[in-house]
Amino acid sequence: ILAAFPEYHVDAGRASLVGRRDELEQFERLLADAGRGGGRTVLVSGPPGVGKSAQLDWVSQRAERAGWRVGQGVAAAVEGAWPYAPVLDALADLCRRHPTLLDGLGDTYRQEIERALAGAELTWSGEGTHQRLFVAAAELLRLAASGTGLLLAVDDMHEADEASLRLLHYLARGISGERALIVVGHREAPFRRGGGVIT
């Protein structure tokens, strides 16, 4: 799913966070590029315990210090197949940190976001998508990115359901040309061709 838009692959398995100069410099370049309207999505992958979450925290804090709007979410197996949970977690965090953000959305978009964040029942059959939620979430990201920039970080996506992956894919496509960076943590490289990672 996620291979359809511009992306970078950061291998979290190379070294400890203390020795992550190359990866952190790459994040700095990506933040600078996104700040000029070069919206990107970054996949951070590697085995458990090598610092993927620490990298997501680092880039989130770096973006926040630069005045960007930031939202962080995490997938959890305990949530089961709750549709969209980690992405909604990140959107809810974004709205908590920036409570006036929803005021800038049109009524229809705002109502859809508020309904989703309030825990209204959302089901996904695999035969279609919640188009209103997808469009409203994309509008929210565009609005959030319209200032100094937006960073949306979603960790542990290997625990996420298919609906969450589809929503994240839609949002990643939508940030092209925006001051936005989506950073996704994943336990294993999700895209393989002949044993290699597609980047």
Side-chain angles (χ1 to χ4, degrees):
I1 287 176
L2 296 177
F5 47 81
E7 72 183 41
Y8 293 82
H9 176 79
V10 178
D11 184 357
R14 291 183 188 167
S16 67
L17 185 60
V18 173
R20 295 296 174 99
R21 182 175 173 182
D22 290 346
E23 287 86 351
L24 301 185
E25 286 178 354
Q26 185 178 12
F27 273 128
E28 290 281 9
R29 289 191 298 272
L30 290 166
L31 285 166
D33 188 40
R36 293 187 294 269
R40 294 285 186 269
T41 297
V42 180
L43 303 178
V44 181
S45 66
V50 297
K52 297 180 299 296
S53 297
Q55 286 190 43
L56 267 65
D57 287 342
W58 183 90
V59 72
S60 297
Q61 291 169 16
R62 175 67 183 85
E64 195 166 27
R65 284 195 306 273
W68 287 34
R69 292 182 172 120
V70 173
Q72 293 177 275
V74 61
V78 72
E79 293 164 347
W82 179 25
Y84 316 115
V87 182
L88 292 179
D89 188 26
L91 296 180
D93 184 53
L94 175 67
C95 291
R96 276 192 302 272
R97 294 183 194 212
H98 308 282
T100 60
L101 193 56
L102 286 175
D103 295 339
L105 281 179
D107 290 343
T108 303
Y109 297 138
R110 178 179 178 148
Q111 289 168 6
E112 191 63 30
I113 294 291
E114 287 177 339
R115 186 176 78 84
L117 297 183
E121 184 176 347
L122 298 171
T123 58
W124 187 75
S125 67
E127 297 171 1
T129 61
H130 280 87
Q131 292 179 350
R132 289 181 300 180
L133 173 61
F134 280 39
V135 172
E139 286 299 315
L140 177 64
L141 293 197
R142 274 193 279 278
L143 179 62
S146 65
T148 54
L150 164 71
L151 184 127
L152 199 72
V154 186
D155 202 3
D156 292 338
M157 279 302 286
H158 54 277
E159 301 282 7
D161 64 303
E162 186 177 350
S164 297
L165 293 172
R166 289 182 180 271
L167 176 55
L168 188 61
H169 174 246
Y170 184 86
L171 296 177
R173 286 179 22 222
I175 65 166
S176 176
E178 303 291 341
R179 293 185 181 100
L181 187 63
I182 295 176
V183 184
V184 180
H186 194 283
R187 181 168 292 172
E188 298 174 354
F191 313 114
R192 298 185 181 276
R193 177 186 297 150
V197 177
I198 298 174
T199 59

